[in-house]
Amino acid sequence: MKKLLWWIIAGTKGGVNRARIIESLHQRPYNAHQLAEKLDLDYKTVRHHIKVLEQNRVISSSGEKYGMMYFLSPQMEESYDIFEDILGQMNG
């Protein structure tokens, strides 16, 4: 999980926004529209990052279409301290 998180967060152009999404979902579940509003990002941008995070099993979803809620995956919950370490090293 550590290598995956380094790549998703530090190794790609959209890593900062993906990190913001992960931090938000660590606090509580959101749908894509709520994330776009909270993070002041375009809805399509949020959808793109959600797709990347889901494909890499960092987040999971529940529900259908526009009401679909996103959560951190169990693996991400277990690895959240690694995520925080990566952020600390990036901002360090």
Side-chain angles (χ1 to χ4, degrees):
M1 188 62 139
K2 187 173 187 173
K3 287 180 185 178
L4 174 68
L5 288 173
W6 267 108
W7 175 74
I8 285 177
I9 305 306
T12 59
K13 183 178 173 186
V16 171
N17 286 331
R18 285 195 274 276
R20 293 174 66 210
I21 290 170
I22 292 168
E23 288 176 315
S24 295
L25 293 177
H26 183 66
Q27 296 167 8
R28 60 161 270 217
Y30 286 96
N31 66 31
H33 179 73
Q34 291 168 327
L35 281 168
E37 282 188 349
K38 176 178 174 45
L39 302 175
D40 195 28
L41 294 171
D42 182 73
Y43 176 79
K44 288 183 179 183
T45 300
V46 170
R47 292 286 312 138
H48 166 74
H49 292 305
I50 284 173
K51 183 177 178 183
V52 171
L53 293 170
E54 270 193 307
Q55 288 173 339
N56 288 284
R57 295 184 178 95
V58 174
I59 65 173
S60 56
S61 60
S62 180
E64 295 183 20
K65 299 199 178 191
Y66 296 110
M68 189 171 291
M69 297 296 282
Y70 297 95
F71 307 82
L72 294 183
S73 68
Q75 302 95 302
M76 184 62 214
E77 288 283 0
E78 290 173 13
S79 303
Y80 197 79
D81 57 332
I82 295 169
F83 169 74
E84 290 179 315
D85 287 346
I86 292 170
L87 283 185
Q89 290 179 47
M90 286 174 58
N91 299 329

